[in-house]
Amino acid sequence: MRFVITNTYDEMSKEAARFVAEAVKAKPDIVLGLPTGSTPIGMYKELIRLHKEEGLDFSQVTTFNLDEYRGLSSDHDQSYRYFMEDTFFKHVNIKPENINFLVGTAKDPEAECQRYEEAIEKVGGIDLMILGIGVNAHIGFNEPAKELPANSYVVQLAEETIEANSRFFERKEDVPKEALTMGVGSILRSRRIILLANGSSKKDAIYGTTNGIVTTEVPGSLLQLHQDVVLFLDKEAAVKVSK
Ligand code: F6R
Protein backbone atom coordinates (compact mmCIF):
# COMPACT_ATOMS: atom_id res chain seq x y z
CA MET A 1 0.00 0.00 0.00
CA ARG A 2 1.11 3.51 -0.71
CA PHE A 3 0.01 6.62 1.17
CA VAL A 4 -0.63 10.23 0.29
CA ILE A 5 -1.21 12.05 3.59
CA THR A 6 -2.33 15.67 3.48
CA ASN A 7 -3.04 18.40 6.02
CA THR A 8 -6.57 19.15 4.89
CA TYR A 9 -9.62 17.60 3.23
CA ASP A 10 -9.22 20.05 0.39
CA GLU A 11 -5.65 18.93 -0.34
CA MET A 12 -6.67 15.27 -0.10
CA SER A 13 -9.45 15.88 -2.63
CA LYS A 14 -7.12 17.69 -5.05
CA GLU A 15 -4.40 15.02 -4.81
CA ALA A 16 -6.95 12.27 -5.48
CA ALA A 17 -8.49 14.20 -8.38
CA ARG A 18 -5.04 14.74 -9.87
CA PHE A 19 -4.35 11.01 -9.65
CA VAL A 20 -7.65 10.20 -11.39
CA ALA A 21 -7.08 12.90 -14.03
CA GLU A 22 -3.64 11.47 -14.84
CA ALA A 23 -5.17 8.02 -15.21
CA VAL A 24 -7.88 9.37 -17.56
CA LYS A 25 -5.27 11.20 -19.65
CA ALA A 26 -3.11 8.08 -19.87
CA LYS A 27 -6.08 5.93 -20.95
CA PRO A 28 -8.94 8.06 -22.30
CA ASP A 29 -11.27 5.02 -22.50
CA ILE A 30 -10.55 4.05 -18.90
CA VAL A 31 -13.12 2.10 -16.85
CA LEU A 32 -13.62 3.71 -13.44
CA GLY A 33 -15.28 2.32 -10.31
CA LEU A 34 -16.94 5.14 -8.37
CA PRO A 35 -18.11 5.76 -4.80
CA THR A 36 -20.80 8.05 -3.41
CA GLY A 37 -20.78 9.55 0.10
CA SER A 38 -19.42 12.74 1.62
CA THR A 39 -15.75 11.87 1.23
CA PRO A 40 -15.41 12.05 -2.58
CA ILE A 41 -17.44 15.25 -3.05
CA GLY A 42 -14.29 17.44 -3.03
CA MET A 43 -12.58 15.12 -5.51
CA TYR A 44 -15.56 15.23 -7.86
CA LYS A 45 -15.61 19.03 -7.57
CA GLU A 46 -11.96 19.22 -8.56
CA LEU A 47 -12.48 16.80 -11.47
CA ILE A 48 -15.31 19.06 -12.68
CA ARG A 49 -12.98 22.04 -12.47
CA LEU A 50 -10.31 20.17 -14.42
CA HIS A 51 -12.93 19.35 -17.05
CA LYS A 52 -14.25 22.91 -17.32
CA GLU A 53 -10.98 24.81 -17.04
CA GLU A 54 -8.38 22.41 -18.37
CA GLY A 55 -10.39 20.32 -20.81
CA LEU A 56 -10.14 17.00 -18.99
CA ASP A 57 -12.11 14.76 -21.32
CA PHE A 58 -14.50 12.09 -20.04
CA SER A 59 -16.13 11.38 -23.41
CA GLN A 60 -14.65 7.88 -23.68
CA VAL A 61 -14.73 7.03 -19.98
CA THR A 62 -16.95 4.22 -18.67
CA THR A 63 -18.09 4.16 -15.03
CA PHE A 64 -19.45 1.54 -12.65
CA ASN A 65 -20.74 2.75 -9.31
CA LEU A 66 -20.12 0.55 -6.31
CA ASP A 67 -23.56 0.31 -4.80
CA GLU A 68 -27.18 1.38 -4.64
CA TYR A 69 -29.89 1.24 -2.01
CA ARG A 70 -32.41 -1.50 -2.60
CA GLY A 71 -35.87 -0.14 -3.43
CA LEU A 72 -34.84 3.42 -4.38
CA SER A 73 -35.42 4.40 -8.00
CA SER A 74 -32.80 6.38 -9.92
CA ASP A 75 -34.83 9.59 -9.58
CA HIS A 76 -35.27 9.28 -5.79
CA ASP A 77 -33.25 12.13 -4.30
CA GLN A 78 -31.49 9.80 -1.85
CA SER A 79 -30.59 7.19 -4.44
CA TYR A 80 -26.92 6.92 -5.26
CA ARG A 81 -27.74 7.24 -8.95
CA TYR A 82 -29.32 10.63 -8.26
CA PHE A 83 -26.37 11.69 -6.09
CA MET A 84 -23.90 10.87 -8.89
CA GLU A 85 -25.93 12.72 -11.50
CA ASP A 86 -26.17 15.77 -9.30
CA THR A 87 -22.62 15.74 -7.91
CA PHE A 88 -20.64 14.72 -10.96
CA PHE A 89 -22.14 13.28 -14.13
CA LYS A 90 -24.21 16.26 -15.23
CA HIS A 91 -21.19 18.56 -14.90
CA VAL A 92 -18.82 16.62 -17.18
CA ASN A 93 -19.00 15.04 -20.63
CA ILE A 94 -19.49 11.40 -19.65
CA LYS A 95 -21.82 9.72 -22.13
CA PRO A 96 -25.02 8.49 -20.42
CA GLU A 97 -24.66 5.12 -22.12
CA ASN A 98 -21.24 4.69 -20.48
CA ILE A 99 -22.63 5.12 -16.96
CA ASN A 100 -23.36 1.83 -15.19
CA PHE A 101 -25.30 1.33 -11.98
CA LEU A 102 -26.82 -1.46 -9.97
CA VAL A 103 -30.57 -0.90 -10.32
CA GLY A 104 -32.07 -0.64 -6.82
CA THR A 105 -35.61 -1.33 -8.00
CA ALA A 106 -34.76 -4.46 -10.02
CA LYS A 107 -37.51 -7.07 -9.54
CA ASP A 108 -34.91 -9.82 -9.29
CA PRO A 109 -31.96 -8.24 -7.43
CA GLU A 110 -29.83 -11.40 -7.63
CA ALA A 111 -30.19 -11.42 -11.42
CA GLU A 112 -29.38 -7.71 -11.41
CA CYS A 113 -26.13 -8.39 -9.53
CA GLN A 114 -25.26 -11.10 -12.04
CA ARG A 115 -25.98 -8.69 -14.92
CA TYR A 116 -23.64 -6.13 -13.33
CA GLU A 117 -20.77 -8.59 -12.98
CA GLU A 118 -21.20 -9.55 -16.63
CA ALA A 119 -21.28 -5.90 -17.71
CA ILE A 120 -17.98 -5.28 -15.88
CA GLU A 121 -16.44 -8.33 -17.50
CA LYS A 122 -17.70 -7.33 -20.94
CA VAL A 123 -15.79 -4.03 -20.87
CA GLY A 124 -12.63 -5.83 -19.77
CA GLY A 125 -12.79 -5.09 -16.03
CA ILE A 126 -12.28 -1.97 -13.94
CA ASP A 127 -9.02 -0.10 -14.50
CA LEU A 128 -9.22 2.22 -11.50
CA MET A 129 -11.50 1.69 -8.53
CA ILE A 130 -12.08 4.68 -6.27
CA LEU A 131 -13.27 3.89 -2.75
CA GLY A 132 -14.41 5.61 0.41
CA ILE A 133 -14.58 3.70 3.69
CA GLY A 134 -17.22 3.42 6.40
CA VAL A 135 -16.56 4.07 10.10
CA ASN A 136 -16.85 0.28 10.49
CA ALA A 137 -14.35 -0.16 7.60
CA HIS A 138 -16.95 -1.24 5.05
CA ILE A 139 -15.93 -0.78 1.41
CA GLY A 140 -18.78 -0.48 -1.04
CA PHE A 141 -21.48 -1.86 1.20
CA ASN A 142 -19.44 -4.88 2.25
CA GLU A 143 -20.18 -4.79 5.96
CA PRO A 144 -18.02 -6.53 8.60
CA ALA A 145 -18.98 -10.22 8.65
CA LYS A 146 -17.60 -13.73 9.25
CA GLU A 147 -17.56 -14.27 5.50
CA LEU A 148 -18.24 -12.11 2.46
CA PRO A 149 -19.49 -12.94 -1.04
CA ALA A 150 -16.90 -12.33 -3.75
CA ASN A 151 -19.30 -11.00 -6.39
CA SER A 152 -22.05 -8.36 -6.37
CA TYR A 153 -24.92 -9.25 -4.03
CA VAL A 154 -27.80 -7.97 -1.92
CA VAL A 155 -26.64 -6.94 1.54
CA GLN A 156 -28.37 -6.13 4.84
CA LEU A 157 -26.91 -2.83 6.00
CA ALA A 158 -25.25 -2.76 9.43
CA GLU A 159 -26.95 -0.73 12.15
CA GLU A 160 -24.01 1.73 12.31
CA THR A 161 -24.24 2.27 8.54
CA ILE A 162 -27.97 3.01 8.77
CA GLU A 163 -27.18 5.37 11.65
CA ALA A 164 -24.34 7.10 9.73
CA ASN A 165 -26.44 7.48 6.57
CA SER A 166 -29.57 8.69 8.36
CA ARG A 167 -28.10 12.20 8.22
CA PHE A 168 -29.28 12.38 4.60
CA PHE A 169 -32.84 11.22 5.28
CA GLU A 170 -35.71 13.01 7.01
CA ARG A 171 -36.20 10.13 9.44
CA LYS A 172 -33.96 7.22 10.36
CA GLU A 173 -36.85 4.84 9.47
CA ASP A 174 -36.57 6.08 5.87
CA VAL A 175 -33.03 4.74 5.41
CA PRO A 176 -33.24 1.53 3.33
CA LYS A 177 -32.17 -1.58 5.23
CA GLU A 178 -30.70 -3.29 2.19
CA ALA A 179 -28.46 -2.42 -0.71
CA LEU A 180 -26.99 -3.96 -3.84
CA THR A 181 -23.23 -3.78 -3.78
CA MET A 182 -20.17 -4.95 -5.65
CA GLY A 183 -18.51 -7.74 -3.71
CA VAL A 184 -14.96 -7.67 -2.39
CA GLY A 185 -13.92 -9.83 -5.34
CA SER A 186 -15.44 -7.34 -7.79
CA ILE A 187 -13.41 -4.63 -6.04
CA LEU A 188 -10.15 -6.60 -5.80
CA ARG A 189 -10.28 -7.60 -9.47
CA SER A 190 -9.79 -3.90 -10.37
CA ARG A 191 -6.34 -3.23 -11.79
CA ARG A 192 -5.67 -0.28 -9.50
CA ILE A 193 -7.45 0.93 -6.37
CA ILE A 194 -7.42 4.23 -4.52
CA LEU A 195 -9.19 4.86 -1.23
CA LEU A 196 -10.02 8.26 0.25
CA ALA A 197 -10.67 8.93 3.95
CA ASN A 198 -10.75 12.06 6.04
CA GLY A 199 -11.54 13.01 9.62
CA SER A 200 -10.89 11.32 12.94
CA SER A 201 -14.06 9.20 12.72
CA LYS A 202 -12.22 7.13 10.09
CA LYS A 203 -8.95 6.65 12.00
CA ASP A 204 -9.83 3.20 13.39
CA ALA A 205 -11.13 2.01 10.01
CA ILE A 206 -7.84 3.13 8.44
CA TYR A 207 -5.84 1.46 11.20
CA GLY A 208 -7.67 -1.82 10.56
CA THR A 209 -7.16 -1.40 6.82
CA THR A 210 -3.40 -1.00 7.14
CA ASN A 211 -2.27 -2.97 10.22
CA GLY A 212 -1.11 -6.15 8.52
CA ILE A 213 -4.09 -8.34 9.55
CA VAL A 214 -6.57 -9.42 6.90
CA THR A 215 -10.12 -10.24 7.99
CA THR A 216 -13.62 -9.94 6.57
CA GLU A 217 -14.56 -8.42 9.96
CA VAL A 218 -12.64 -5.35 8.73
CA PRO A 219 -13.52 -5.31 5.02
CA GLY A 220 -11.01 -2.55 4.22
CA SER A 221 -8.22 -4.85 5.40
CA LEU A 222 -8.80 -7.06 2.34
CA LEU A 223 -7.22 -4.30 0.26
CA GLN A 224 -3.88 -5.42 1.71
CA LEU A 225 -4.17 -8.40 -0.65
CA HIS A 226 -4.04 -6.11 -3.69
CA GLN A 227 -0.72 -5.07 -5.19
CA ASP A 228 -1.64 -1.55 -6.35
CA VAL A 229 -3.51 0.44 -3.71
CA VAL A 230 -2.98 4.10 -2.83
CA LEU A 231 -4.63 5.63 0.24
CA PHE A 232 -5.37 9.36 0.16
CA LEU A 233 -5.80 10.45 3.77
CA ASP A 234 -6.01 13.69 5.65
CA LYS A 235 -3.87 13.81 8.78
CA GLU A 236 -6.79 13.08 11.12
CA ALA A 237 -7.73 9.85 9.34
CA ALA A 238 -4.03 8.91 9.21
CA VAL A 239 -3.12 9.24 12.92
CA LYS A 240 -3.07 5.48 13.57
CA VAL A 241 -1.81 4.41 10.18
CA SER A 242 0.77 1.65 10.16
CA LYS A 243 2.89 1.76 7.05
C1 F6R B 1 -20.63 4.63 -1.11
C2 F6R B 1 -19.81 3.58 -0.52
C3 F6R B 1 -19.49 3.60 0.94
C4 F6R B 1 -18.91 4.94 1.39
C5 F6R B 1 -18.70 4.93 2.89
C6 F6R B 1 -18.15 6.25 3.41
O1 F6R B 1 -20.84 4.40 -2.48
O2 F6R B 1 -19.43 2.69 -1.21
O3 F6R B 1 -18.57 2.55 1.22
O4 F6R B 1 -17.71 5.17 0.72
O5 F6R B 1 -19.90 4.65 3.55
O6 F6R B 1 -19.12 7.23 3.28
P1 F6R B 1 -18.78 8.76 3.58
O7 F6R B 1 -17.85 9.21 2.52
O8 F6R B 1 -20.13 9.46 3.48
O9 F6R B 1 -18.19 8.79 4.94
Side-chain angles (χ1 to χ4, degrees), residues 67-184:
D67 41 20
E68 179 60 284
Y69 286 122
R70 182 164 183 202
L72 298 195
S73 62
S74 55
D75 54 0
H76 188 291
D77 64 1
Q78 290 308 331
S79 74
Y80 283 172
R81 181 71 179 80
Y82 186 97
F83 171 95
M84 285 306 298
E85 200 58 43
D86 203 44
T87 311
F88 185 52
F89 295 149
K90 75 176 184 198
H91 306 285
V92 295
N93 64 336
I94 290 187
K95 294 201 178 99
E97 62 269 31
N98 289 348
I99 295 170
N100 293 277
F101 242 92
L102 283 155
V103 175
T105 51
K107 285 219 171 61
D108 182 344
E110 276 79 24
E112 171 59 10
C113 291
Q114 176 69 22
R115 178 198 68 80
Y116 208 56
E117 289 292 332
E118 285 164 10
I120 295 171
E121 213 179 300
K122 204 165 152 203
V123 297
I126 293 171
D127 293 305
L128 176 61
M129 170 65 74
I130 306 166
L131 298 172
I133 190 164
V135 287
N136 65 359
H138 70 213
I139 48 173
F141 269 142
N142 293 283
E143 302 283 24
K146 282 209 172 65
E147 53 186 26
L148 285 170
N151 295 332
S152 298
Y153 64 106
V154 182
V155 62
Q156 307 275 334
L157 297 182
E159 195 47 46
E160 59 261 44
T161 300
I162 294 173
E163 185 65 46
N165 292 2
S166 64
R167 68 191 193 276
F168 300 114
F169 290 79
E170 231 167 77
R171 298 170 312 163
K172 194 177 154 194
E173 305 86 87
D174 296 337
V175 185
K177 308 279 179 290
E178 290 182 338
L180 282 66
T181 183
M182 279 189 201
V184 284

Side-chain angles (χ1 to χ4, degrees), residues 216-232:
T216 55
E217 297 290 355
V218 182
S221 73
L222 297 169
L223 298 174
Q224 294 170 103
L225 299 172
H226 195 281
Q227 61 187 8
D228 195 348
V229 180
V230 185
L231 272 68
F232 290 84

